[in-house]
Amino acid sequence: MPIVSFPANPNLLINPQSSWPSRRGNSAVVASAASRDVDSFTSKSGYLFSLSADEADSLSEYNFSRIDGMYKKKPLILLRRLAQIGTTFGYWFGLRLADEALERSEQMFKVRAAELRKLLVELGPAYVKIAQAVSSRPDLIPPVYLDELSLLQDQITPFSSEVAFNMIEDELGLPIDELFSEISPEPVAAASLGQVYQARLRRSGKVVAVKVQRPGVRAAIALDTLILRYIAGLIKKAGRFNSDLEAVVDEWATSLFKEMDYLNEAQNGIKFRKLYGGIKDVLVPKMYTEYSTSKVLVMEWVEGQKLNEVNDLYLVEVGVYCSFNQLLEYGFYHADPHPGNFLRTYDGQLAYLDFGMMGDFRPELRDGFMEACLHLVNRDFKALAKDFVTLGLLPPTAEKSAVTKALTDVFQDAISRGVRNISFGDLLGDLGKTMYRFKFRIPPYFSLVIRSLAVLEGIAIGISPNYKVLGSTYPWIARKILTDSSPQLKSSLQNLLYEEGVFRIDRLESLLSESLRTETALVQKPVVGTDSNIAMKQMLAFTFTEQGSFVREILLRELAKGLDAYGLATLDSFTFSGSGPSTSLTEEDMTNLRTFYRLISLFSGMRKAESQVKAVSKYGEALTPLDEASLVMYQLPSAQEMLPILSILPELPQESQQRLLQLPGDLVGRLVSRAFARTIRRMFL
């Protein structure tokens, strides 16, 4: 869209379609312009301009009691709105029923989708925001409806530019020509809450986006949230849902009212830029708070295309990684990630544009969410049932054993296909009946988190139908669990790796291999083939970093146990070589010896004896302990087979090499301690 320049006369703003005198704080002119230029988006909701100035000002934040009290004094407005909503939806559903009766549903499908979009626009911003929440789910919404609802992102009918420019002047207290040297005569985008102009700051010459709020939008949303909350209360009383739907509406409305406060959005943008602007290929525009108010927001202009309109799976991965950081690293997350809020810039970056609706994921909930993902992937459904209590999804009084069985039935098939094939949307769908049966609740905070993840997967599916956001996020979850200092996550990792006191090295292998995927997750062209040296280097580098200290401690403990068992087995091979099958090895020693083999194989990259390991597991009962110990010892890699790992050691970072040099001393200390404890135990027991 062309940008129109201001003329030399600073008191006159020229627009290609009209002109009017620039004014400073003339509210009468604003009211007159508003009454003349009500756009078609709000034309059927005459109540928008019926509130007094004091009433409108009282809607600066969501307060149900205040809104309820305000509209109780205006029963005719409330009844008119209820009638409008009822007749609008009733008319549309009536047409759908008629189509079915006349057997023309397929022919009229596209027509009805277009009609629904128009009706939602007529109903106003609250219903447009609800429609936007589902417009990014191609796996849930028919393609025709998806195409229509996607038009709600930024193609709402704009309101008068005269009204918008008057509002800018009134809010900022300066003539518009003193603020900007250029501004587009018409909005470049119009959405449900406001519209955007392209402009150039007079002082700095920077090109900026100027977002102006729709007149009366707070009153419109206040009335609709009041009605939705009443409906939620009726549903709750009818006992149809276990969740506190009123609280869910309150949470959504609170976020929506915060979204309408552009000063709050500016502060969110500044915080978002500080936390995530440094991520590779993520662009967070600069906010100009000195030019922003609660109804006007000025931010850096960003050029690009909608992410869902370009085939760029790499940027989807960037978005997944950024979302991981938002939800699980800092807890400050984008709660409205519809396609209109993501751009692919022309230099290949992912730009976030809207920061009005943000969420805050508390640390204990973040840890609980990661634990739930961990237990889900590892099929620990008993622990998963406890996680749901921690997350507030299940009441503490729920029957855990029954829930565990139900979760096993729901998730077993999905998990058997592998973590990379788990669909977040499918899991939610499969969980529906179980949630109703066991009185699951949807905590208010969780609705925004679920929507954030579901919408992101929806955008990804639009680009790559087989994309799974949980599968792509799990490597980051695995890395986080292996490295986080949270006592809760450390305890969860400890419990996962030790089942009834036995070390589950297979689970450690799975976590390590998944976490290593983060090393190449953001590479546009993945490396073809496998390089065991690269994998070993990554694994060793991670284990001997500061972040890997907790895992390193576990590995040292298990290596010491394995070396101790190896020493006993070696001694037994000489002591009992000619006297039969006797051995001093206990079952615990045999377990430690097998674990020792797996650990050496894991870090050496050796997989040639994998079939032999299975043979030991399968036929171990037929072998004597000494024979089995001999077989395991025989399978240990030779010095020649260890050469690849030795050649990698000089390539490790200096910090990792120093920790590696401390390894022999630590192992010797632990071995001496174990030998001393065993000697004392055998002397007195």
Side-chain angles (χ1 to χ4, degrees):
M1 178 169 289
I3 297 180
V4 63
S5 299
F6 289 118
N9 181 358
N11 294 317
L12 192 65
L13 176 63
I14 301 297
N15 184 283
Q17 298 177 341
S18 62
S19 64
W20 64 94
S22 178
R23 15 69 60 212
R24 305 186 188 194
N26 190 341
S27 58
V29 175
V30 176
S32 175
S35 63
R36 290 197 314 269
D37 297 302
V38 176
D39 57 280
S40 62
F41 178 54
T42 53
S43 62
K44 295 194 176 182
S45 303
Y47 64 85
L48 286 179
F49 298 100
S50 63
L51 297 182
S52 68
D54 289 341
E55 288 173 328
D57 290 341
S58 70
L59 297 176
S60 59
E61 60 183 18
Y62 176 72
N63 185 308
F64 172 74
S65 299
R66 187 182 302 162
I67 295 171
D68 187 39
M70 179 188 301
Y71 282 106
K72 276 183 177 177
K73 299 175 183 178
K74 303 175 184 294
L76 293 179
I77 292 177
L78 182 59
L79 290 173
R80 181 175 62 185
R81 184 57 172 166
L82 283 170
Q84 182 184 15
I85 294 170
T87 55
T88 299
F89 280 122
Y91 169 75
W92 186 80
F93 279 112
L95 291 175
R96 290 282 291 143
L97 290 173
D99 291 339
E100 291 183 10
L102 297 174
E103 298 183 351
R104 60 178 189 183
S105 296
E106 291 187 9
Q107 300 94 306
M108 299 299 293
F109 201 71
K110 188 172 182 179
V111 175
R112 299 301 177 228
E115 288 175 347
L116 178 61
R117 175 181 59 80
K118 293 175 182 177
L119 292 177
L120 290 170
V121 170
E122 289 178 3
L123 285 174
Y127 289 90
V128 170
K129 297 300 290 185
I130 293 172
Q132 286 175 347
V134 298
S135 66
S136 301
R137 293 311 307 262
D139 53 333
L140 302 178
I141 307 297
V144 173
Y145 280 79
L146 191 71
D147 293 340
E148 289 293 335
L149 294 181
S150 66
L151 298 177
L152 296 174
Q153 307 297 354
D154 59 2
Q155 296 188 25
I156 306 297
T157 304
F159 61 92
S160 163
S161 287
E162 180 179 356
V163 173
F165 292 158
N166 284 337
M167 183 181 291
I168 292 172
E169 291 188 345
D170 198 43
E171 286 290 309
L172 298 179
L174 287 172
I176 201 166
D177 55 324
E178 290 186 19
L179 296 166
F180 311 110
S181 59
E182 299 173 319
I183 191 168
S184 56
E186 298 296 333
V188 295
S192 55
L193 303 184
Q195 58 196 39
V196 178
Y197 294 85
Q198 186 183 38
R200 187 181 299 276
L201 293 174
R202 181 169 291 280
R203 291 182 184 176
S204 65
K206 298 289 187 182
V207 179
V208 295
V210 183
K211 184 157 71 169
V212 187
Q213 192 170 105
R214 286 183 179 274
V217 70
R218 290 175 181 270
I221 288 180
L223 181 55
D224 284 337
T225 53
L226 177 69
I227 292 171
L228 288 172
R229 198 178 187 279
Y230 277 137
I231 293 173
L234 291 174
I235 295 174
K236 181 181 178 181
K237 288 181 180 179
R240 302 302 300 171
F241 285 90
N242 302 312
S243 301
D244 188 352
L245 292 183
E246 291 172 305
V248 172
V249 172
D250 286 339
E251 182 82 4
W252 175 74
T254 299
S255 297
L256 196 51
F257 269 76
K258 288 180 180 178
E259 187 177 0
M260 290 185 287
D261 182 353
Y262 288 172
L263 274 179
N264 179 67
E265 180 176 350
Q267 293 302 317
N268 287 340
I270 291 171
K271 182 176 180 180
F272 197 89
R273 180 184 174 97
K274 179 180 179 182
L275 292 177
Y276 314 116
I279 295 176
K280 185 177 182 292
D281 291 326
V282 169
L283 174 64
V284 182
K286 179 182 178 182
M287 300 289 159
Y288 293 89
T289 54
E290 64 272 30
Y291 295 102
S292 301
T293 70
S294 62
K295 296 180 181 179
V296 176
L297 175 64
V298 177
M299 60 192 291
E300 178 186 353
W301 179 263
V302 180
E303 293 277 358
Q305 299 170 276
K306 287 183 182 179
L307 183 60
N308 66 328
E309 294 178 353
V310 293
N311 187 16
D312 195 334
L313 192 58
Y314 167 68
L315 282 190
V316 172
E317 290 284 351
V318 171
V320 169
Y321 173 64
C322 187
S323 294
F324 161 79
N325 274 269
Q326 293 170 45
L327 284 172
L328 305 180
E329 190 70 31
Y330 298 104
F332 183 68
Y333 66 94
H334 199 298
D336 191 24
H338 65 71
N341 290 337
F342 289 117
L343 283 187
R344 182 194 185 277
T345 65
Y346 294 122
D347 60 352
Q349 290 184 296
L350 177 65
Y352 286 78
L353 297 185
D354 193 323
F355 308 99
M357 187 177 289
M358 310 297 289
D360 190 15
F361 210 18
R362 300 196 309 273
E364 65 272 19
L365 296 175
R366 299 202 301 267
D367 290 350
F369 184 81
M370 283 187 281
E371 287 180 307
C373 291
L374 185 67
H375 293 142
L376 174 65
V377 170
N378 286 281
R379 301 176 176 84
D380 190 350
F381 299 111
K382 183 177 181 180
L384 185 62
K386 295 179 181 178
D387 295 332
F388 283 173
V389 174
T390 302
L391 291 169
L393 295 170
L394 268 176
T397 55
E399 179 57 46
K400 303 298 187 302
S401 58
V403 172
T404 299
K405 183 180 183 304
L407 292 177
T408 303
D409 295 339
V410 169
F411 293 137
Q412 191 68 50
D413 290 340
I415 299 302
S416 64
R417 294 191 294 269
V419 63
R420 301 184 193 186
N421 297 312
I422 298 174
S423 167
F424 184 78
D426 290 347
L427 287 183
L428 290 179
D430 294 340
L431 195 58
K433 293 181 180 179
T434 302
M435 292 179 71
Y436 184 80
R437 176 186 170 191
F438 290 99
K439 300 187 182 300
F440 272 57
R441 302 172 296 192
I442 302 297
Y445 81 88
F446 205 66
S447 59
L448 291 179
V449 174
I450 293 299
R451 179 173 179 268
S452 178
L453 290 173
V455 169
L456 186 67
E457 184 170 72
I459 295 173
I461 290 172
I463 299 173
S464 176
N466 296 321
Y467 190 86
K468 305 292 186 277
V469 72
L470 186 58
S472 295
T473 306
Y474 185 67
W476 306 104
I477 295 174
R479 172 62 66 98
K480 178 73 173 174
I481 289 172
L482 288 172
T483 60
D484 199 272
S485 59
S486 162
Q488 182 177 339
L489 288 182
K490 284 185 176 181
S491 174
S492 180
L493 178 60
Q494 181 85 12
N495 293 334
L496 179 77
L497 296 181
Y498 288 90
E499 186 173 340
E500 297 181 353
V502 178
F503 181 57
R504 292 291 303 272
I505 188 173
D506 57 319
R507 293 182 175 179
L508 178 62
E509 281 187 274
S510 175
L511 280 172
L512 284 172
S513 61
E514 284 294 332
S515 70
L516 290 179
R517 287 173 57 202
T518 62
E519 302 291 337
T520 55
L522 297 182
V523 177
Q524 199 158 6
K525 294 182 180 179
V527 179
V528 178
T530 59
D531 188 335
S532 60
N533 282 359
I534 293 177
M536 281 189 285
K537 182 178 177 182
Q538 292 174 345
M539 199 172 294
L540 286 170
F542 164 73
T543 305
F544 289 97
T545 59
E546 182 64 32
Q547 287 185 321
S549 59
F550 186 68
V551 173
R552 186 169 65 252
E553 180 65 25
I554 291 175
L555 291 174
L556 281 172
R557 182 165 62 241
E558 294 304 320
L559 280 172
K561 291 180 181 178
L563 282 171
D564 182 50
Y566 181 75
L568 288 175
T570 303
L571 182 62
D572 280 3
S573 66
F574 291 107
T575 304
F576 301 106
S577 59
S579 58
S582 301
T583 179
S584 63
L585 292 172
T586 64
E587 183 57 39
E588 180 184 355
D589 292 327
M590 293 301 305
T591 299
N592 291 338
L593 189 58
R594 297 186 199 109
T595 299
F596 181 62
Y597 164 75
R598 292 282 297 274
L599 284 173
I600 296 299
S601 298
L602 175 65
F603 282 93
S604 67
M606 191 191 72
R607 289 291 183 267
K608 72 181 183 71
E610 199 69 35
S611 59
Q612 290 174 290
V613 177
K614 294 178 181 178
V616 170
S617 175
K618 184 176 181 180
Y619 301 111
E621 292 181 1
L623 298 174
T624 65
L626 188 56
D627 288 339
E628 184 178 352
S630 299
L631 181 57
V632 173
M633 291 167 59
Y634 173 76
Q635 292 169 354
L636 290 173
S638 64
Q640 185 176 359
E641 290 171 328
M642 291 294 290
L643 285 177
I645 190 173
L646 296 176
S647 65
I648 289 172
L649 299 183
E651 301 176 17
L652 296 177
Q654 189 67 32
E655 179 185 4
S656 297
Q657 291 186 36
Q658 291 177 355
R659 289 195 175 94
L660 189 58
L661 291 175
Q662 299 171 4
L663 180 63
D666 291 339
L667 281 175
V668 169
R670 292 169 185 269
L671 281 171
V672 170
S673 177
R674 283 188 62 83
F676 180 76
R678 182 173 57 254
T679 302
I680 296 297
R681 188 167 56 249
R682 290 182 177 180
M683 287 176 60
F684 295 99
L685 294 180

